[in-house]
Amino acid sequence: MPDSRLLLQDAPNKRALLLGNEAIARGILEAGISVVTTYPGTPASEIADSISEIAAEAGVYMEYSINEMVAVEVAAATANCGVRSLSAMKHVGLNVAADALMTLAYMGVKGGCVIVTADDPECYSSQNEQDNRFYALLANLPCLEPSNAQEAKDMTVSAVEISEKLELPVLLRTTTRVSHTRGPVTYGKLTKPSLKGEFVRDIKRMNLVPANSRPMHTVLLTKAEKAKEISETSPYNTIVRRSKSGKLGVISASAAFNYAMEAIDALDLDASILKLGMTHPLPEKLIGTFLRKHKKIVVVEELEPYLEMQIKAIAKDYAPNVKIYGKMGTLYFPRDGELSTRAVVIGLAKITRRKLPIDLKEIDRKYAEVLKDLPRRPPILCAGCPHRATFYVIRKATDGKAVYPNDIGCYALGFAPPLSIGDGFLCMGSSVSMAQGISKVTGRDTIGIIGDSTFFHAAIPGLINAVYNNHKITLAVLDNQATAMTGHQPHPGTGVTGMGVPTEKVLIEKVAEGCGVKFVRVVDPFKVKEATAVLKEALQHSGPSVVVFRSPCALMVVRDRRRKGAKIMVCKITEECTNCMACIKLLGCPALVLVDGKASINETLCIGCGLCASVCPYQAIKCEEIG
C-alpha cells in the first residue's frame, strides 16, 4: 500500500485492495485495538509497519519491542488493564514468546488480546517451517486461520471479541501466502481506540505461584470447553459446497483451502467441502456429522497433519468406518515446503484415481529447458553493504583460521564464498553463546557475529554469561543502525520509537561495558587497516571482548542521499588495472562484474563505498561523485 493513511478511512462498505498483513492492520482499527506491539519478522512485518505510520493519527500506541517475549508481555499487561491489544510476530518469534504465552493462558486477560503468528512454509525467510497451530493445541488457546485478505481483516475483529468473551488471548495464525497476497477487502466501521485502562489487583489470578496455578489450570480447561461451543457455531467453520453423491468430502483451512478448491475444480470432482477458519478448538460435532455423510474424507492442509490427526480422533467416535486420506500413513500431500494447487491436484488424483488434467511432465521438461539459460541468483549482500567490509576485516585479521558462529539477519549471508565467514546459527542471539561452547572445547579463536537489532533482542544474557564465566571469545556486532533485513525498523540503538518520536539512544558499547566486558571498541568497517588492527587486539584479550563495526545500511545511505538531492558516489576501474581479479575474488560485490573477460564496475549498482579500491593491489580503482 503506497499510503497507510488509506487504512484510516471511516468508510464502511468501501472496497480496497490490501495485502493480508494490511488487512490485519485495518482490522486492528475496526476492532478498536489500542496497543500494538511487535518484533519485526517476515512474513509478519507489514502489520506493525502499517500501524506505525498512522499510529499517532489513529490514537493507537505502537512499539517495536526489543523482542517477541517483551512484545507479548506488554500486550498482555495492557489487556489485563482492560485495553484491547495485539502483538504480531513471525512463527519463530512465538518460540521466544512461548514462555510468557503458556502462562498467560492460565492468567487470562480482561481486554481483548490477539497474538498474530505468521508461519513461513518453504522457509522463504526463516530457519525452519514449524507449524504454529500446535501452540494453540499446547496452550489451550483459540486459533483462527484466514485464507484470504478479507478474512484476515474480519478474523482480527472476531479474535478480539472471542478473546474478551473467553478472557483468553487468541492466536491469529497466517502463512506467507495469506500475509503477502493482495486481495479485495470490504471495510467495516472504525472503532475509536481507548488507551485508558485500569489495573485491578487480583492476586489469585495474576500471581501464578503453584498454589494459584493449579486452580487456574482448571479455569483454563473450562474456558477451552466454552471455546469449543464457539467453534461449533462459528461462521468461519462452514460447509461451502455439498456433493451430489456424498461419496467424497474434503476438509481444509487457511491458504490450503484455496488450493483445494482449485484442485477439485481442475479434476471435476463431486465433493463436499468443509472449510475450517477456527482451527482450535475444532468443531467436533460439525466435523463428526460431516464425516458420517461421506465414505471418503480428504484433509488438505499445509505443513503438519494437525487437522488430520484430530479429525481421525473425532472419526473414531462419530464415523469409525470412514476412510481418511492426508499425510498420515500414506503421504498423499507433502509435509514439507509450501503447498500448491499442483501438489493438491496430484494428491487428489491419486486418492480418487482420476487422470491428471494436464501433462505435468511436459511442463517440467519445458521448465528445465528454460532454466538452463537462466543465471543462478542466490541471495547475496547488497553492493556497498558494510557487512561485506566487516567480513573482509574479519578474514584479514584471522586469516580465515578462527571459528565464526553466526546469527539471524542479513549478515548470515557472509557464509557464502568468497567471504566465507559464518559457521552456523541456531536462533536469535545464539552466536554469542555458541562461541563460548566452541571456544571452551577447541581453544581456537572464536568470533561470534551478530547484528545490532539482534544484539538487543537476545545477546545480552549470553554476553553476561561470557563475562561471568570468563569465556575467551570476541563478539563482532555488525551495527548498520536499523533492523535492516525486515525493512529498516527502529531498535533501541536508533534513537527513534515506533511512534516516530525521538528517544534515548542505547549504545551497544555502553551495554557491553555495563555487562562487564573490559575490552570494547567501536570501528568503521570501511577503515580496513584500523579495524583489522583493533580486531587483532581483541583476539589477544584474555577474556570476552566486543568490537562494534558501525556503518549505516547501504540502502539507507543511498535513500538519504537521494532525499537530500546529494550526488551519488561510484567507483571506476582505471587503465592501471592488471585484471588480477583481486577485487572480485576477495569481496564478491554484485557491482563487480566481468565484461569481455575483464573486471568492471556496474555503476547502476555501485554506491562508492570504496572497499574495492582499498583491496586493489595496484590502486587501479577510483571513486568519485556523479549526478
Side-chain angles (χ1 to χ4, degrees), residues 76-214:
T78 55
N80 268 302
C81 293
V83 173
R84 290 182 167 184
S85 65
L86 178 145
S87 191
M89 62 205 69
K90 67 182 297 174
H91 62 307
V92 288
L94 195 54
N95 298 338
V96 179
D99 197 14
L101 184 71
M102 291 297 142
T103 306
L104 179 61
Y106 280 40
M107 180 185 291
V109 293
K110 290 300 179 185
C113 182
V114 181
I115 311 296
V116 180
T117 168
D119 289 11
D120 187 16
E122 201 68 43
C123 294
Y124 287 112
S125 57
S126 308
Q127 62 270 43
N128 71 35
E129 52 182 5
Q130 69 192 41
D131 189 331
N132 274 12
R133 294 178 297 180
F134 284 101
Y135 269 114
L137 195 64
L138 180 63
N140 274 303
L141 293 179
C143 178
L144 299 182
E145 282 194 78
S147 64
N148 55 43
Q150 180 70 55
E151 287 185 350
K153 191 270 287 181
D154 293 342
M155 286 188 182
T156 302
V157 179
S158 297
V160 171
E161 292 169 349
I162 293 170
S163 174
E164 290 187 347
K165 188 169 186 177
L166 296 172
E167 298 191 347
L168 274 179
V170 172
L171 286 182
L172 182 65
R173 186 250 191 181
T174 67
T175 59
T176 306
R177 205 52 57 183
V178 174
S179 297
H180 286 168
T181 297
R182 201 171 286 277
V185 175
T186 302
Y187 283 8
K189 188 172 175 53
L190 293 179
T191 300
K192 190 176 180 180
S194 171
L195 278 168
K196 190 170 179 56
E198 182 182 5
F199 181 77
V200 179
R201 197 162 185 252
D202 187 345
I203 294 294
K204 289 187 177 179
R205 184 173 68 86
M206 298 192 69
N207 283 274
L208 290 166
V209 295
N212 292 338
S213 296
R214 292 184 201 105

Side-chain angles (χ1 to χ4, degrees), residues 17 53 68 88 118 153 155 169 193 246 303 318 320 330 354 379 387 411 417 472 526 535 571 601:
L17 201 59
E53 291 180 11
E68 294 86 352
K153 191 270 287 181
M155 286 188 182
L303 294 179
Y318 283 83
T330 303
R354 288 290 182 100
H387 297 341
Y411 43 88
K472 186 183 178 310
F526 289 111
L535 184 56
C571 298
I601 294 177

Side-chain angles (χ1 to χ4, degrees), residues 254-277:
S254 188
F257 165 76
N258 303 319
Y259 306 134
M261 291 294 284
E262 290 179 355
I264 289 166
D265 289 342
L267 290 165
D268 193 24
L269 295 175
D270 174 32
S272 300
I273 303 166
L274 173 57
K275 179 179 186 294
L276 298 175

Side-chain angles (χ1 to χ4, degrees), residues 219-269:
V219 171
L220 172 60
L221 295 175
T222 303
K223 291 177 178 177
E225 288 300 313
K226 291 181 180 176
K228 276 186 183 178
E229 296 171 13
I230 293 174
S231 186
E232 290 290 353
T233 57
S234 170
Y236 300 120
N237 295 330
T238 183
I239 298 170
V240 298
R241 186 182 294 181
R242 296 182 188 275
S243 76
K244 296 174 184 173
S245 65
K247 291 181 180 177
L248 181 65
V250 174
I251 303 177
S252 190
S254 188
F257 165 76
N258 303 319
Y259 306 134
M261 291 294 284
E262 290 179 355
I264 289 166
D265 289 342
L267 290 165
D268 193 24
L269 295 175

